Amino acid sequence: MAAQFGRRLRKGAATTAVAAAAVAALSASQAPGVNDHGRQTAADAIPSPEAGASDDSATGNSPYYTDLPPLKSPNPSPTTGTGPIAQGGTESGIPATVLDAYKKAEAALRETKPGCNLPWQLLAAIGRVESGQARGGRVDAEGTTLGRILGPQLDGNGFALIKDTDDGAYDGNSSYDQAVGPMQFIPSTWAWAGRDGNGDGKKDPNNVYDAALAAGHYLCRNNWDLSDRNDLDRAILSYNNSREYLSLVMRWLDYYRKGAHEVPDGTGTLPGNRSDGGAGAGTGRTSPSTPTGPSAPGTPGASKPPATSKPDPGPDPSKPGKPGGGTTNPKPPTTPPGTGDPSTPPTTPPTPTDTVHHLEDAGTGKLTAMAGDAFAQRISTRAETEAGKAVGKVRVRFTILGDTDTTFTGGENVATVATNSSGVAVAPVLKAGEKTGAVTVRATVVGRTVAGLDYKATVTERAADKLTRAGDAALTCVPGGEFANRVQVKATYGGAVADGVAATATVIKSAEDATASDKGPYFKGADGKPVRTLAGLKTDAKGLLTLPKLYADDTSGTFLLRVTTAGGATLTVELTVAAAETTAPSPSAEPAA
């Protein structure tokens, strides 16, 4: 397998050379792009001279789509779930499920390989060039393409020669390998680079979540930092070793960084030009929706496909009117019954997503949590048809809106969950941030425009339900002096440490009158003057609150210091101010007789 993996694309084919020249010409016709400050954009910069790549590639250097992004930049990306989408150019529209897969892959790599700095826009750029964003987002609710997306067989006829490495399991071809799926991995690369991006226990190159995560890991190998231009060039060239490819991907990367928006699945713009002179995304690269080859790996009923013969090479330009060197009056091509014309995307029955009419709450309880705590309740949403019937296998996106630091577990503010057989999607656990107040979480259907469902959550300030004094040293002082020991308090809530809890300490007049006293012990303010109320105090990570040093005026007696916290916990401590005890002199000895 290693010997066959990722061989360089052969440049001898006239169509490839012509296409490469066309890309260069089109690039030149657009002129070097500059921003408002006259600086060259990343997309138009000349690749770094040291940005070489190995002979390996993710795609086997298969053909790709050469359509260039428009000269006019798209509108800035709208905030997810904040209402109607402000449309940019049609080219900036990315199908909902495909866009979700790119963003999930970026989030996953941020956790596992933070030093890579992978932007989702790079995955979008490669996905656009490789498959036209999965043929405009023709995917089901789980993100699997409706029919396999296949590159030409790599038989050495103008392409690399890569004989079959997967027994046809992924590409249905047991003679030669073909690039597979929305990110166009060759089977030998997928064998080690494949990932399970949607948590279904399978690694399927035809699934956009799996493919996007695999592409992210592939681009982040070798400790590359994609915020560094040299490493970025190396990573892209390793995906497909072509300078024209690098320039094209960089143009789309720059375009998507300037703005992109979500469009319904299946409505994305399809590219029309390919680097080998072949047909666009609508034709020539997609197997029928019900492929005659094996099912995707892990699918029940998958079987070994029959050997695939080398396809008809097509018309011989040296012999007009004799396609493939055959007769002058060939019979019209026939199509196997039931498969349809493979050059035309077949009509498919409605997906579960297509049947969703609205979202309903599925018994979500009151959403309240203290700052820093996890919410005890989880948001549950049910997808329903117009008749109120539950719809399973639909992806529901939960988005936390507004200026808040509340997140889902893991630090994300967006989570996508598929509905179960009862049509219910349960969002991940919410983790309250430090900002108190109302928080809105919006549920929407991925890939379908229906009204979102808003959930209101409340973050309250941290609280304590019990205060105890830490230590038992005497709190005494002489008039006009200072207390030798400082007051330390421990706060708990439900028996657990209550950290970050706001507290107030006041020297009060009496047990019945909690107003601040005008005499007795005091704290010193910033100006050194007596202060008998301290607000804005907070317990530390261990739930401890150590008060500043206390001083005494000339008034003797017993005084009360009261500490209160959010949540109603209260502790009252006695302070004693008394003159120092004096020792009576011993009686004089009587004189001797």
Side-chain angles (χ1 to χ4, degrees):
M1 179 183 295
Q4 303 293 342
F5 166 66
R7 298 182 179 176
R8 285 180 182 264
L9 176 65
R10 297 187 179 182
K11 299 296 184 181
T15 52
T16 303
V18 171
V23 172
L26 284 171
S27 299
S29 70
Q30 291 197 0
V34 292
N35 59 23
D36 294 340
H37 304 285
R39 295 175 298 189
Q40 192 176 35
T41 65
D44 297 305
I46 298 173
S48 305
E50 61 271 26
S54 69
D55 284 348
D56 298 338
S57 77
T59 68
N61 295 318
S62 293
Y64 52 91
Y65 293 111
T66 58
D67 298 47
L68 291 164
L71 287 171
K72 185 178 179 181
S73 299
N75 294 336
S77 305
T79 303
T80 303
T82 55
I85 295 172
Q87 297 292 332
T90 57
E91 299 289 346
S92 66
I94 301 177
T97 298
V98 179
L99 179 60
D100 187 55
Y102 295 152
K103 292 186 175 182
K104 274 187 174 297
E106 179 198 57
L109 269 297
R110 191 186 308 129
E111 286 285 327
T112 59
K113 295 185 178 180
C116 177
N117 296 305
L118 171 77
W120 68 260
Q121 291 91 341
L122 177 58
L123 296 176
I126 291 176
R128 169 72 192 197
V129 170
E130 292 294 345
S131 70
Q133 312 297 18
R135 294 183 295 120
R138 294 193 70 248
V139 296
D140 64 17
E142 281 68 47
T144 302
T145 59
L146 302 176
R148 287 180 295 198
I149 302 174
L150 300 174
Q153 65 177 9
L154 301 174
D155 58 2
N157 184 22
F159 310 113
L161 173 61
I162 304 180
K163 293 185 178 180
D164 176 64
T165 61
D166 65 326
D167 206 19
Y170 294 112
D171 54 16
N173 189 335
S174 57
S175 296
Y176 300 97
D177 273 352
Q178 295 174 251
V180 181
M183 303 304 279
Q184 288 289 278
F185 280 94
I186 55 173
S188 55
T189 306
W190 186 261
W192 60 266
R195 294 292 191 278
D196 176 14
N198 62 351
D200 64 356
K202 297 183 293 185
K203 300 175 183 178
D204 183 3
N206 301 292
N207 182 278
V208 69
Y209 287 95
D210 294 0
L213 183 59
H217 277 279
Y218 186 92
L219 295 164
C220 286
R221 71 195 195 289
N222 299 330
N223 292 319
W224 282 328
D225 177 3
L226 302 185
S227 64
D228 177 85
R229 179 57 195 265
N230 290 337
D231 280 357
L232 177 61
D233 286 358
R234 293 185 183 99
I236 295 172
L237 284 170
S238 79
Y239 211 89
N240 193 315
N241 192 16
S242 160
R243 287 286 171 171
E244 293 80 13
Y245 182 87
L246 170 61
S247 177
L248 185 61
V249 169
M250 287 301 298
R251 283 181 178 275
W252 280 107
L253 170 59
D254 187 59
Y255 184 75
Y256 286 134
R257 275 176 166 163
K258 291 175 181 176
H261 64 275
E262 176 183 295
V263 298
D265 291 343
T267 65
T269 302
L270 300 179
N273 303 287
R274 207 166 60 165
S275 62
D276 64 341
T283 60
R285 296 191 75 187
T286 309
S287 66
S289 183
T290 306
T292 56
S295 304
T299 303
S303 60
K304 177 179 176 180
T308 303
S309 60
K310 185 173 180 179
D312 186 337
D316 183 346
S318 66
K319 299 178 181 180
K322 294 184 179 182
T327 62
T328 56
N329 296 302
K331 293 181 180 180
T334 59
T335 303
T339 62
D341 183 352
S343 68
T344 303
T347 301
T348 57
T351 65
T353 302
D354 296 331
T355 68
V356 177
H357 179 266
H358 60 273
L359 295 174
E360 289 284 347
D361 176 51
T364 304
K366 186 177 181 180
L367 296 169
T368 303
M370 287 193 300
D373 287 355
F375 282 77
Q377 292 289 328
R378 294 171 66 177
I379 296 173
S380 296
T381 301
R382 184 171 55 253
E384 296 183 354
T385 64
E386 187 173 8
K389 183 179 179 181
V391 185
K393 296 184 178 180
V394 171
R395 300 191 77 82
V396 175
R397 177 182 296 141
F398 298 95
T399 305
I400 301 172
L401 306 178
D403 181 21
T404 178
D405 53 355
T406 293
T407 64
F408 293 113
T409 301
E412 297 297 320
N413 61 4
V414 177
T416 305
V417 181
T419 57
N420 59 21
S421 59
S422 299
V424 176
V426 180
V429 173
L430 273 172
K431 177 72 179 298
E434 294 303 318
K435 292 182 179 179
T436 60
V439 176
T440 299
V441 180
R442 179 168 296 167
T444 56
V445 179
V446 175
R448 184 164 175 80
T449 304
V450 298
L453 183 61
D454 286 354
Y455 292 85
K456 300 297 182 182
T458 303
V459 178
T460 62
E461 61 181 330
R462 294 172 182 253
D465 58 11
K466 185 177 182 180
L467 292 175
T468 56
R469 188 181 167 205
D472 56 2
L475 298 172
T476 59
C477 181
V478 297
E482 61 182 53
F483 287 78
N485 299 306
R486 296 168 69 175
V487 178
Q488 190 175 57
V489 175
K490 183 174 183 179
T492 56
Y493 188 88
V497 168
D499 61 314
V501 177
T504 300
T506 305
V507 178
I508 60 177
K509 290 182 177 180
S510 67
E512 293 76 26
D513 186 354
T515 57
S517 177
D518 55 1
K519 59 184 178 180
Y522 61 90
F523 303 102
K524 285 185 178 180
D527 56 2
K529 294 182 179 180
V531 174
R532 292 187 172 85
T533 297
L534 287 181
L537 305 171
K538 278 192 176 182
T539 60
D540 64 16
K542 296 181 180 180
L544 296 176
L545 174 65
T546 302
L547 298 180
K549 184 174 289 188
L550 278 162
Y551 300 87
D553 61 13
D554 294 332
T555 307
S556 298
T558 299
F559 301 88
L560 300 179
L561 172 67
R562 180 163 292 172
V563 181
T564 59
T565 67
T570 302
L571 176 67
T572 302
V573 179
E574 286 191 355
L575 305 173
T576 301
V577 180
E581 293 184 3
T582 57
T583 303
S586 57
S588 301
E590 292 183 4

